[in-house]
Amino acid sequence: MDVPLWFALLVVGVLGVKLIRPPLWLVLVLLLGGYLRADSLLAPVIDTTVK
């Protein structure tokens, strides 16, 4: 069974929010920070250090 990555991340995210119950501001900061970092000029540098 092939599951798309976006669907797997969505399921893990929803379960994490329901089970752990982090504050909404923390979820928004993590999502916005991840989006901005992925779309920034530092994305190639971060990509090489993560790999």
Side-chain angles (χ1 to χ4, degrees):
M1 176 168 63
D2 293 328
V3 178
L5 178 61
W6 64 268
F7 184 71
L9 290 175
L10 180 69
V11 169
V12 169
V14 168
L15 287 175
V17 168
K18 284 190 174 202
L19 294 176
I20 299 173
R21 299 228 183 250
L24 183 60
W25 65 266
L26 182 61
V27 174
L28 293 176
V29 165
L30 288 174
L31 286 174
L32 183 64
Y35 174 75
L36 291 176
R37 188 169 64 174
D39 198 31
S40 70
L41 295 174
L42 296 174
V45 175
I46 295 169
D47 189 38
T48 56
T49 58
V50 170
K51 288 183 181 179

